[in-house]
PDB file of all heavy atoms in Angstrom:
ATOM      1  N   MET A1431       3.623  -6.919   6.274  1.00  0.00           N
ATOM      2  CA  MET A1431       3.999  -6.127   5.225  1.00  0.00           C
ATOM      3  C   MET A1431       5.073  -5.346   5.449  1.00  0.00           C
ATOM      4  O   MET A1431       5.914  -4.952   4.515  1.00  0.00           O
ATOM      5  CB  MET A1431       2.781  -5.134   4.766  1.00  0.00           C
ATOM      6  CG  MET A1431       2.914  -4.576   3.441  1.00  0.00           C
ATOM      7  SD  MET A1431       3.277  -5.723   2.225  1.00  0.00           S
ATOM      8  CE  MET A1431       3.924  -4.632   0.921  1.00  0.00           C
ATOM      9  N   GLN A1432       5.409  -4.815   6.794  1.00  0.00           N
ATOM     10  CA  GLN A1432       6.488  -4.171   7.152  1.00  0.00           C
ATOM     11  C   GLN A1432       7.730  -4.925   6.895  1.00  0.00           C
ATOM     12  O   GLN A1432       8.798  -4.278   6.431  1.00  0.00           O
ATOM     13  CB  GLN A1432       6.411  -3.589   8.589  1.00  0.00           C
ATOM     14  CG  GLN A1432       5.422  -2.555   8.845  1.00  0.00           C
ATOM     15  CD  GLN A1432       5.064  -2.187  10.282  1.00  0.00           C
ATOM     16  OE1 GLN A1432       5.328  -3.043  11.245  1.00  0.00           O
ATOM     17  NE2 GLN A1432       4.678  -1.046  10.512  1.00  0.00           N
ATOM     18  N   LYS A1433       7.767  -6.187   7.252  1.00  0.00           N
ATOM     19  CA  LYS A1433       8.856  -7.143   7.065  1.00  0.00           C
ATOM     20  C   LYS A1433       9.026  -7.305   5.491  1.00  0.00           C
ATOM     21  O   LYS A1433      10.188  -7.272   4.943  1.00  0.00           O
ATOM     22  CB  LYS A1433       8.674  -8.413   7.685  1.00  0.00           C
ATOM     23  CG  LYS A1433       8.883  -8.338   9.161  1.00  0.00           C
ATOM     24  CD  LYS A1433       8.994  -9.786   9.688  1.00  0.00           C
ATOM     25  CE  LYS A1433       9.390  -9.797  11.188  1.00  0.00           C
ATOM     26  NZ  LYS A1433       9.486 -11.155  11.764  1.00  0.00           N
ATOM     27  N   ILE A1434       8.021  -7.475   4.735  1.00  0.00           N
ATOM     28  CA  ILE A1434       8.085  -7.786   3.333  1.00  0.00           C
ATOM     29  C   ILE A1434       8.638  -6.514   2.661  1.00  0.00           C
ATOM     30  O   ILE A1434       9.429  -6.703   1.741  1.00  0.00           O
ATOM     31  CB  ILE A1434       6.660  -8.141   2.752  1.00  0.00           C
ATOM     32  CG1 ILE A1434       6.346  -9.442   3.229  1.00  0.00           C
ATOM     33  CG2 ILE A1434       6.737  -7.992   1.243  1.00  0.00           C
ATOM     34  CD1 ILE A1434       4.799  -9.933   2.914  1.00  0.00           C
ATOM     35  N   ALA A1435       8.226  -5.413   3.056  1.00  0.00           N
ATOM     36  CA  ALA A1435       8.668  -4.019   2.507  1.00  0.00           C
ATOM     37  C   ALA A1435      10.197  -3.929   2.584  1.00  0.00           C
ATOM     38  O   ALA A1435      10.992  -3.570   1.760  1.00  0.00           O
ATOM     39  CB  ALA A1435       8.029  -2.889   3.065  1.00  0.00           C
ATOM     40  N   ALA A1436      10.662  -4.296   3.857  1.00  0.00           N
ATOM     41  CA  ALA A1436      12.172  -4.178   4.075  1.00  0.00           C
ATOM     42  C   ALA A1436      12.884  -5.141   3.216  1.00  0.00           C
ATOM     43  O   ALA A1436      13.983  -4.798   2.624  1.00  0.00           O
ATOM     44  CB  ALA A1436      12.378  -4.430   5.609  1.00  0.00           C
ATOM     45  N   ALA A1437      12.370  -6.392   3.048  1.00  0.00           N
ATOM     46  CA  ALA A1437      13.086  -7.334   2.197  1.00  0.00           C
ATOM     47  C   ALA A1437      13.024  -6.868   0.724  1.00  0.00           C
ATOM     48  O   ALA A1437      13.844  -7.149  -0.006  1.00  0.00           O
ATOM     49  CB  ALA A1437      12.383  -8.789   2.447  1.00  0.00           C
ATOM     50  N   PHE A1438      11.848  -6.427   0.417  1.00  0.00           N
ATOM     51  CA  PHE A1438      11.686  -5.935  -1.007  1.00  0.00           C
ATOM     52  C   PHE A1438      12.665  -4.891  -1.409  1.00  0.00           C
ATOM     53  O   PHE A1438      13.212  -4.936  -2.422  1.00  0.00           O
ATOM     54  CB  PHE A1438      10.238  -5.361  -1.136  1.00  0.00           C
ATOM     55  CG  PHE A1438       9.795  -4.690  -2.515  1.00  0.00           C
ATOM     56  CD1 PHE A1438       9.843  -5.485  -3.668  1.00  0.00           C
ATOM     57  CD2 PHE A1438       9.527  -3.351  -2.521  1.00  0.00           C
ATOM     58  CE1 PHE A1438       9.430  -4.888  -4.814  1.00  0.00           C
ATOM     59  CE2 PHE A1438       9.294  -2.726  -3.741  1.00  0.00           C
ATOM     60  CZ  PHE A1438       9.301  -3.434  -4.894  1.00  0.00           C
ATOM     61  N   GLU A1439      12.792  -3.944  -0.528  1.00  0.00           N
ATOM     62  CA  GLU A1439      13.856  -2.892  -0.744  1.00  0.00           C
ATOM     63  C   GLU A1439      15.321  -3.388  -0.757  1.00  0.00           C
ATOM     64  O   GLU A1439      16.085  -3.104  -1.686  1.00  0.00           O
ATOM     65  CB  GLU A1439      13.692  -1.745   0.237  1.00  0.00           C
ATOM     66  CG  GLU A1439      14.583  -0.605  -0.047  1.00  0.00           C
ATOM     67  CD  GLU A1439      14.504   0.507   1.108  1.00  0.00           C
ATOM     68  OE1 GLU A1439      13.582   0.479   1.831  1.00  0.00           O
ATOM     69  OE2 GLU A1439      15.072   1.619   0.861  1.00  0.00           O
ATOM     70  N   ALA A1440      15.562  -4.308   0.177  1.00  0.00           N
ATOM     71  CA  ALA A1440      16.915  -4.872   0.132  1.00  0.00           C
ATOM     72  C   ALA A1440      17.160  -5.844  -1.113  1.00  0.00           C
ATOM     73  O   ALA A1440      18.313  -5.665  -1.746  1.00  0.00           O
ATOM     74  CB  ALA A1440      17.068  -5.710   1.330  1.00  0.00           C
ATOM     75  N   ASP A1441      16.204  -6.446  -1.588  1.00  0.00           N
ATOM     76  CA  ASP A1441      16.369  -7.332  -2.819  1.00  0.00           C
ATOM     77  C   ASP A1441      16.258  -6.659  -4.212  1.00  0.00           C
ATOM     78  O   ASP A1441      16.853  -7.132  -5.141  1.00  0.00           O
ATOM     79  CB  ASP A1441      15.354  -8.386  -2.770  1.00  0.00           C
ATOM     80  CG  ASP A1441      15.711  -9.516  -1.659  1.00  0.00           C
ATOM     81  OD1 ASP A1441      16.858  -9.372  -1.039  1.00  0.00           O
ATOM     82  OD2 ASP A1441      14.715 -10.247  -1.095  1.00  0.00           O
ATOM     83  N   THR A1442      15.440  -5.547  -4.251  1.00  0.00           N
ATOM     84  CA  THR A1442      15.138  -4.908  -5.586  1.00  0.00           C
ATOM     85  C   THR A1442      15.732  -3.573  -5.624  1.00  0.00           C
ATOM     86  O   THR A1442      15.782  -2.967  -6.791  1.00  0.00           O
ATOM     87  CB  THR A1442      13.538  -4.908  -5.828  1.00  0.00           C
ATOM     88  OG1 THR A1442      12.997  -3.939  -5.087  1.00  0.00           O
ATOM     89  CG2 THR A1442      13.153  -6.294  -5.627  1.00  0.00           C
ATOM     90  N   GLY A1443      15.836  -2.819  -4.551  1.00  0.00           N
ATOM     91  CA  GLY A1443      16.178  -1.491  -4.599  1.00  0.00           C
ATOM     92  C   GLY A1443      15.099  -0.497  -4.600  1.00  0.00           C
ATOM     93  O   GLY A1443      15.150   0.683  -4.301  1.00  0.00           O
ATOM     94  N   HIS A1444      13.805  -1.009  -4.915  1.00  0.00           N
ATOM     95  CA  HIS A1444      12.628  -0.268  -4.808  1.00  0.00           C
ATOM     96  C   HIS A1444      12.099  -0.036  -3.464  1.00  0.00           C
ATOM     97  O   HIS A1444      12.303  -0.930  -2.595  1.00  0.00           O
ATOM     98  CB  HIS A1444      11.537  -1.020  -5.665  1.00  0.00           C
ATOM     99  CG  HIS A1444      11.765  -1.121  -7.024  1.00  0.00           C
ATOM    100  ND1 HIS A1444      12.139  -0.022  -7.912  1.00  0.00           N
ATOM    101  CD2 HIS A1444      11.740  -2.270  -7.845  1.00  0.00           C
ATOM    102  CE1 HIS A1444      12.270  -0.518  -9.185  1.00  0.00           C
ATOM    103  NE2 HIS A1444      12.097  -1.841  -9.159  1.00  0.00           N
ATOM    104  N   LYS A1445      11.472   1.108  -3.234  1.00  0.00           N
ATOM    105  CA  LYS A1445      10.923   1.252  -1.856  1.00  0.00           C
ATOM    106  C   LYS A1445       9.511   1.320  -1.864  1.00  0.00           C
ATOM    107  O   LYS A1445       8.875   1.858  -2.743  1.00  0.00           O
ATOM    108  CB  LYS A1445      11.574   2.687  -1.274  1.00  0.00           C
ATOM    109  CG  LYS A1445      11.028   3.016   0.161  1.00  0.00           C
ATOM    110  CD  LYS A1445      11.667   4.384   0.497  1.00  0.00           C
ATOM    111  CE  LYS A1445      11.202   4.645   1.956  1.00  0.00           C
ATOM    112  NZ  LYS A1445      11.883   5.996   2.503  1.00  0.00           N
ATOM    113  N   ALA A1446       8.954   0.684  -0.840  1.00  0.00           N
ATOM    114  CA  ALA A1446       7.459   0.782  -0.727  1.00  0.00           C
ATOM    115  C   ALA A1446       7.083   1.627   0.366  1.00  0.00           C
ATOM    116  O   ALA A1446       7.398   1.497   1.520  1.00  0.00           O
ATOM    117  CB  ALA A1446       6.939  -0.568  -0.448  1.00  0.00           C
ATOM    118  N   GLU A1447       6.109   2.703   0.022  1.00  0.00           N
ATOM    119  CA  GLU A1447       5.626   3.742   0.952  1.00  0.00           C
ATOM    120  C   GLU A1447       4.241   3.126   1.461  1.00  0.00           C
ATOM    121  O   GLU A1447       3.400   2.951   0.644  1.00  0.00           O
ATOM    122  CB  GLU A1447       5.473   4.995   0.483  1.00  0.00           C
ATOM    123  CG  GLU A1447       6.800   5.746   0.240  1.00  0.00           C
ATOM    124  CD  GLU A1447       6.603   7.104  -0.253  1.00  0.00           C
ATOM    125  OE1 GLU A1447       5.524   7.537  -0.585  1.00  0.00           O
ATOM    126  OE2 GLU A1447       7.755   7.881  -0.202  1.00  0.00           O
ATOM    127  N   LEU A1448       4.082   2.711   2.634  1.00  0.00           N
ATOM    128  CA  LEU A1448       2.927   2.006   3.061  1.00  0.00           C
ATOM    129  C   LEU A1448       1.996   2.840   3.956  1.00  0.00           C
ATOM    130  O   LEU A1448       2.448   3.691   4.760  1.00  0.00           O
ATOM    131  CB  LEU A1448       3.385   0.793   4.032  1.00  0.00           C
ATOM    132  CG  LEU A1448       4.528  -0.195   3.435  1.00  0.00           C
ATOM    133  CD1 LEU A1448       4.930  -1.201   4.467  1.00  0.00           C
ATOM    134  CD2 LEU A1448       4.014  -0.797   2.124  1.00  0.00           C
ATOM    135  N   SER A1449       0.784   2.780   3.610  1.00  0.00           N
ATOM    136  CA  SER A1449      -0.374   3.194   4.378  1.00  0.00           C
ATOM    137  C   SER A1449      -1.281   2.189   4.812  1.00  0.00           C
ATOM    138  O   SER A1449      -1.687   1.273   4.112  1.00  0.00           O
ATOM    139  CB  SER A1449      -1.181   4.361   3.478  1.00  0.00           C
ATOM    140  OG  SER A1449      -0.285   5.366   3.077  1.00  0.00           O
ATOM    141  N   PHE A1450      -1.621   2.129   6.114  1.00  0.00           N
ATOM    142  CA  PHE A1450      -2.409   1.028   6.642  1.00  0.00           C
ATOM    143  C   PHE A1450      -3.776   1.657   7.123  1.00  0.00           C
ATOM    144  O   PHE A1450      -3.884   2.725   7.714  1.00  0.00           O
ATOM    145  CB  PHE A1450      -1.616   0.407   7.822  1.00  0.00           C
ATOM    146  CG  PHE A1450      -0.316  -0.121   7.626  1.00  0.00           C
ATOM    147  CD1 PHE A1450       0.845   0.516   7.923  1.00  0.00           C
ATOM    148  CD2 PHE A1450      -0.262  -1.421   6.938  1.00  0.00           C
ATOM    149  CE1 PHE A1450       2.111  -0.099   7.578  1.00  0.00           C
ATOM    150  CE2 PHE A1450       1.023  -2.028   6.563  1.00  0.00           C
ATOM    151  CZ  PHE A1450       2.118  -1.241   6.953  1.00  0.00           C
ATOM    152  N   GLY A1451      -4.844   0.805   6.927  1.00  0.00           N
ATOM    153  CA  GLY A1451      -6.127   1.184   7.356  1.00  0.00           C
ATOM    154  C   GLY A1451      -7.126   0.276   6.982  1.00  0.00           C
ATOM    155  O   GLY A1451      -6.842  -0.944   6.521  1.00  0.00           O
ATOM    156  N   ALA A1452      -8.461   0.668   7.164  1.00  0.00           N
ATOM    157  CA  ALA A1452      -9.592  -0.131   6.605  1.00  0.00           C
ATOM    158  C   ALA A1452      -9.807  -0.166   5.208  1.00  0.00           C
ATOM    159  O   ALA A1452      -9.696   0.892   4.503  1.00  0.00           O
ATOM    160  CB  ALA A1452     -10.910   0.402   7.320  1.00  0.00           C
ATOM    161  N   THR A1453     -10.012  -1.335   4.646  1.00  0.00           N
ATOM    162  CA  THR A1453     -10.278  -1.541   3.294  1.00  0.00           C
ATOM    163  C   THR A1453     -11.365  -0.676   2.776  1.00  0.00           C
ATOM    164  O   THR A1453     -11.260   0.047   1.680  1.00  0.00           O
ATOM    165  CB  THR A1453     -10.504  -3.039   2.924  1.00  0.00           C
ATOM    166  OG1 THR A1453      -9.407  -3.820   3.281  1.00  0.00           O
ATOM    167  CG2 THR A1453     -10.947  -3.185   1.413  1.00  0.00           C
ATOM    168  N   GLY A1454     -12.433  -0.493   3.503  1.00  0.00           N
ATOM    169  CA  GLY A1454     -13.577   0.379   3.013  1.00  0.00           C
ATOM    170  C   GLY A1454     -13.238   1.751   2.860  1.00  0.00           C
ATOM    171  O   GLY A1454     -13.641   2.492   1.860  1.00  0.00           O
ATOM    172  N   LYS A1455     -12.303   2.257   3.738  1.00  0.00           N
ATOM    173  CA  LYS A1455     -11.865   3.603   3.675  1.00  0.00           C
ATOM    174  C   LYS A1455     -10.975   3.864   2.533  1.00  0.00           C
ATOM    175  O   LYS A1455     -11.031   4.855   1.801  1.00  0.00           O
ATOM    176  CB  LYS A1455     -11.165   4.114   4.955  1.00  0.00           C
ATOM    177  CG  LYS A1455     -12.133   4.467   6.060  1.00  0.00           C
ATOM    178  CD  LYS A1455     -11.482   5.433   6.975  1.00  0.00           C
ATOM    179  CE  LYS A1455     -12.609   6.159   7.973  1.00  0.00           C
ATOM    180  NZ  LYS A1455     -12.036   7.047   8.780  1.00  0.00           N
ATOM    181  N   PHE A1456     -10.097   2.808   2.278  1.00  0.00           N
ATOM    182  CA  PHE A1456      -9.172   2.909   1.201  1.00  0.00           C
ATOM    183  C   PHE A1456     -10.010   3.056  -0.293  1.00  0.00           C
ATOM    184  O   PHE A1456      -9.614   3.750  -1.086  1.00  0.00           O
ATOM    185  CB  PHE A1456      -8.200   1.733   1.032  1.00  0.00           C
ATOM    186  CG  PHE A1456      -6.938   1.971   2.094  1.00  0.00           C
ATOM    187  CD1 PHE A1456      -6.684   0.775   2.811  1.00  0.00           C
ATOM    188  CD2 PHE A1456      -6.360   3.066   2.243  1.00  0.00           C
ATOM    189  CE1 PHE A1456      -5.522   0.958   3.626  1.00  0.00           C
ATOM    190  CE2 PHE A1456      -5.288   3.272   3.056  1.00  0.00           C
ATOM    191  CZ  PHE A1456      -4.832   2.114   3.826  1.00  0.00           C
ATOM    192  N   TYR A1457     -11.070   2.135  -0.219  1.00  0.00           N
ATOM    193  CA  TYR A1457     -11.781   2.152  -1.425  1.00  0.00           C
ATOM    194  C   TYR A1457     -12.381   3.561  -1.706  1.00  0.00           C
ATOM    195  O   TYR A1457     -12.375   4.067  -2.799  1.00  0.00           O
ATOM    196  CB  TYR A1457     -12.998   1.095  -1.368  1.00  0.00           C
ATOM    197  CG  TYR A1457     -14.043   1.303  -2.433  1.00  0.00           C
ATOM    198  CD1 TYR A1457     -13.744   0.764  -3.720  1.00  0.00           C
ATOM    199  CD2 TYR A1457     -15.208   2.060  -2.273  1.00  0.00           C
ATOM    200  CE1 TYR A1457     -14.633   0.849  -4.687  1.00  0.00           C
ATOM    201  CE2 TYR A1457     -16.113   2.213  -3.183  1.00  0.00           C
ATOM    202  CZ  TYR A1457     -15.854   1.599  -4.564  1.00  0.00           C
ATOM    203  OH  TYR A1457     -16.837   1.729  -5.564  1.00  0.00           O
ATOM    204  N   ALA A1458     -12.928   4.298  -0.649  1.00  0.00           N
ATOM    205  CA  ALA A1458     -13.384   5.558  -0.938  1.00  0.00           C
ATOM    206  C   ALA A1458     -12.399   6.509  -1.361  1.00  0.00           C
ATOM    207  O   ALA A1458     -12.612   7.362  -2.147  1.00  0.00           O
ATOM    208  CB  ALA A1458     -14.130   5.976   0.428  1.00  0.00           C
ATOM    209  N   GLN A1459     -11.189   6.342  -0.752  1.00  0.00           N
ATOM    210  CA  GLN A1459     -10.093   7.337  -1.070  1.00  0.00           C
ATOM    211  C   GLN A1459      -9.681   7.187  -2.503  1.00  0.00           C
ATOM    212  O   GLN A1459      -9.436   8.120  -3.228  1.00  0.00           O
ATOM    213  CB  GLN A1459      -8.902   7.159  -0.221  1.00  0.00           C
ATOM    214  CG  GLN A1459      -9.173   7.583   1.312  1.00  0.00           C
ATOM    215  CD  GLN A1459      -8.116   7.163   2.320  1.00  0.00           C
ATOM    216  OE1 GLN A1459      -7.220   6.467   1.883  1.00  0.00           O
ATOM    217  NE2 GLN A1459      -8.421   7.378   3.590  1.00  0.00           N
ATOM    218  N   ILE A1460      -9.595   5.825  -3.033  1.00  0.00           N
ATOM    219  CA  ILE A1460      -9.216   5.533  -4.308  1.00  0.00           C
ATOM    220  C   ILE A1460     -10.037   6.108  -5.319  1.00  0.00           C
ATOM    221  O   ILE A1460      -9.803   6.593  -6.334  1.00  0.00           O
ATOM    222  CB  ILE A1460      -8.940   3.961  -4.467  1.00  0.00           C
ATOM    223  CG1 ILE A1460      -7.722   3.612  -3.668  1.00  0.00           C
ATOM    224  CG2 ILE A1460      -8.790   3.661  -5.938  1.00  0.00           C
ATOM    225  CD1 ILE A1460      -7.588   2.035  -3.398  1.00  0.00           C
ATOM    226  N   THR A1461     -11.370   5.985  -4.990  1.00  0.00           N
ATOM    227  CA  THR A1461     -12.502   6.295  -6.001  1.00  0.00           C
ATOM    228  C   THR A1461     -12.521   7.843  -5.979  1.00  0.00           C
ATOM    229  O   THR A1461     -13.062   8.440  -6.866  1.00  0.00           O
ATOM    230  CB  THR A1461     -13.821   5.725  -5.546  1.00  0.00           C
ATOM    231  OG1 THR A1461     -14.255   6.213  -4.206  1.00  0.00           O
ATOM    232  CG2 THR A1461     -13.811   4.209  -5.779  1.00  0.00           C
ATOM    233  N   HIS A1462     -11.985   8.579  -4.997  1.00  0.00           N
ATOM    234  CA  HIS A1462     -11.929  10.025  -4.948  1.00  0.00           C
ATOM    235  C   HIS A1462     -10.633  10.541  -5.517  1.00  0.00           C
ATOM    236  O   HIS A1462     -10.319  11.783  -5.144  1.00  0.00           O
ATOM    237  CB  HIS A1462     -12.319  10.551  -3.733  1.00  0.00           C
ATOM    238  CG  HIS A1462     -13.778  10.442  -3.387  1.00  0.00           C
ATOM    239  ND1 HIS A1462     -14.410   9.342  -2.801  1.00  0.00           N
ATOM    240  CD2 HIS A1462     -14.840  11.390  -3.524  1.00  0.00           C
ATOM    241  CE1 HIS A1462     -15.697   9.545  -2.628  1.00  0.00           C
ATOM    242  NE2 HIS A1462     -15.974  10.773  -3.090  1.00  0.00           N
ATOM    243  N   GLY A1463      -9.748   9.735  -6.063  1.00  0.00           N
ATOM    244  CA  GLY A1463      -8.560  10.219  -6.685  1.00  0.00           C
ATOM    245  C   GLY A1463      -7.302  10.017  -5.836  1.00  0.00           C
ATOM    246  O   GLY A1463      -6.180  10.535  -6.270  1.00  0.00           O
ATOM    247  N   ALA A1464      -7.256   9.307  -4.691  1.00  0.00           N
ATOM    248  CA  ALA A1464      -6.047   9.156  -3.993  1.00  0.00           C
ATOM    249  C   ALA A1464      -5.106   8.312  -4.791  1.00  0.00           C
ATOM    250  O   ALA A1464      -5.366   7.420  -5.561  1.00  0.00           O
ATOM    251  CB  ALA A1464      -6.307   8.284  -2.714  1.00  0.00           C
ATOM    252  N   PRO A1465      -3.790   8.835  -4.883  1.00  0.00           N
ATOM    253  CA  PRO A1465      -2.841   8.320  -5.859  1.00  0.00           C
ATOM    254  C   PRO A1465      -2.103   7.047  -5.518  1.00  0.00           C
ATOM    255  O   PRO A1465      -0.902   6.746  -5.679  1.00  0.00           O
ATOM    256  CB  PRO A1465      -1.836   9.408  -5.978  1.00  0.00           C
ATOM    257  CG  PRO A1465      -1.787  10.001  -4.712  1.00  0.00           C
ATOM    258  CD  PRO A1465      -3.214   9.977  -4.131  1.00  0.00           C
ATOM    259  N   PHE A1466      -2.803   6.102  -4.673  1.00  0.00           N
ATOM    260  CA  PHE A1466      -2.118   4.829  -4.364  1.00  0.00           C
ATOM    261  C   PHE A1466      -1.897   4.001  -5.637  1.00  0.00           C
ATOM    262  O   PHE A1466      -2.791   4.008  -6.661  1.00  0.00           O
ATOM    263  CB  PHE A1466      -3.095   4.013  -3.448  1.00  0.00           C
ATOM    264  CG  PHE A1466      -3.283   4.575  -2.091  1.00  0.00           C
ATOM    265  CD1 PHE A1466      -4.543   4.979  -1.629  1.00  0.00           C
ATOM    266  CD2 PHE A1466      -2.215   4.848  -1.244  1.00  0.00           C
ATOM    267  CE1 PHE A1466      -4.712   5.464  -0.370  1.00  0.00           C
ATOM    268  CE2 PHE A1466      -2.259   5.384   0.013  1.00  0.00           C
ATOM    269  CZ  PHE A1466      -3.535   5.671   0.405  1.00  0.00           C
ATOM    270  N   GLN A1467      -0.868   3.291  -5.738  1.00  0.00           N
ATOM    271  CA  GLN A1467      -0.591   2.539  -6.942  1.00  0.00           C
ATOM    272  C   GLN A1467      -0.822   1.104  -6.772  1.00  0.00           C
ATOM    273  O   GLN A1467      -1.115   0.397  -7.753  1.00  0.00           O
ATOM    274  CB  GLN A1467       1.046   2.662  -7.224  1.00  0.00           C
ATOM    275  CG  GLN A1467       1.401   4.076  -7.593  1.00  0.00           C
ATOM    276  CD  GLN A1467       2.826   4.273  -7.679  1.00  0.00           C
ATOM    277  OE1 GLN A1467       3.556   4.003  -6.731  1.00  0.00           O
ATOM    278  NE2 GLN A1467       3.392   4.749  -8.751  1.00  0.00           N
ATOM    279  N   VAL A1468      -0.858   0.639  -5.552  1.00  0.00           N
ATOM    280  CA  VAL A1468      -1.224  -0.726  -5.246  1.00  0.00           C
ATOM    281  C   VAL A1468      -2.123  -0.886  -4.068  1.00  0.00           C
ATOM    282  O   VAL A1468      -2.027  -0.073  -3.147  1.00  0.00           O
ATOM    283  CB  VAL A1468       0.092  -1.626  -4.976  1.00  0.00           C
ATOM    284  CG1 VAL A1468      -0.164  -3.027  -4.291  1.00  0.00           C
ATOM    285  CG2 VAL A1468       0.924  -1.756  -6.233  1.00  0.00           C
ATOM    286  N   LEU A1469      -3.013  -1.777  -4.039  1.00  0.00           N
ATOM    287  CA  LEU A1469      -3.910  -1.996  -2.824  1.00  0.00           C
ATOM    288  C   LEU A1469      -3.723  -3.370  -2.408  1.00  0.00           C
ATOM    289  O   LEU A1469      -3.977  -4.344  -3.299  1.00  0.00           O
ATOM    290  CB  LEU A1469      -5.433  -1.686  -3.269  1.00  0.00           C
ATOM    291  CG  LEU A1469      -6.394  -2.136  -2.186  1.00  0.00           C
ATOM    292  CD1 LEU A1469      -6.314  -1.311  -0.864  1.00  0.00           C
ATOM    293  CD2 LEU A1469      -7.808  -2.092  -2.636  1.00  0.00           C
ATOM    294  N   LEU A1470      -3.476  -3.673  -1.204  1.00  0.00           N
ATOM    295  CA  LEU A1470      -3.524  -5.027  -0.580  1.00  0.00           C
ATOM    296  C   LEU A1470      -4.734  -4.960   0.290  1.00  0.00           C
ATOM    297  O   LEU A1470      -4.733  -4.424   1.403  1.00  0.00           O
ATOM    298  CB  LEU A1470      -2.237  -5.186   0.292  1.00  0.00           C
ATOM    299  CG  LEU A1470      -1.032  -5.870  -0.545  1.00  0.00           C
ATOM    300  CD1 LEU A1470      -0.521  -4.730  -1.445  1.00  0.00           C
ATOM    301  CD2 LEU A1470       0.010  -6.173   0.431  1.00  0.00           C
ATOM    302  N   SER A1471      -5.803  -5.512  -0.223  1.00  0.00           N
ATOM    303  CA  SER A1471      -7.114  -5.426   0.461  1.00  0.00           C
ATOM    304  C   SER A1471      -7.334  -6.473   1.516  1.00  0.00           C
ATOM    305  O   SER A1471      -6.571  -7.488   1.583  1.00  0.00           O
ATOM    306  CB  SER A1471      -8.206  -5.603  -0.603  1.00  0.00           C
ATOM    307  OG  SER A1471      -9.488  -5.645  -0.007  1.00  0.00           O
ATOM    308  N   ALA A1472      -8.253  -6.356   2.391  1.00  0.00           N
ATOM    309  CA  ALA A1472      -8.525  -7.447   3.422  1.00  0.00           C
ATOM    310  C   ALA A1472      -9.680  -8.298   2.870  1.00  0.00           C
ATOM    311  O   ALA A1472     -10.210  -9.214   3.597  1.00  0.00           O
ATOM    312  CB  ALA A1472      -9.007  -6.750   4.759  1.00  0.00           C
ATOM    313  N   ASP A1473     -10.086  -8.075   1.650  1.00  0.00           N
ATOM    314  CA  ASP A1473     -11.160  -9.035   1.040  1.00  0.00           C
ATOM    315  C   ASP A1473     -10.746  -9.168  -0.474  1.00  0.00           C
ATOM    316  O   ASP A1473      -9.726  -8.757  -0.861  1.00  0.00           O
ATOM    317  CB  ASP A1473     -12.549  -8.350   1.164  1.00  0.00           C
ATOM    318  CG  ASP A1473     -12.698  -7.064   0.493  1.00  0.00           C
ATOM    319  OD1 ASP A1473     -11.737  -6.523  -0.287  1.00  0.00           O
ATOM    320  OD2 ASP A1473     -13.656  -6.433   0.613  1.00  0.00           O
TER     321      ASP A1473
END
């Protein structure tokens, strides 16, 4: 994803701010209002 984000920014101009962690923890954060816009899950 670090490589993809670099290519994504170079090709589109958009920047991806990445947070890495366990899918279960992200689920809990999202359900409690964390402002993530996209989830790349492990399941």
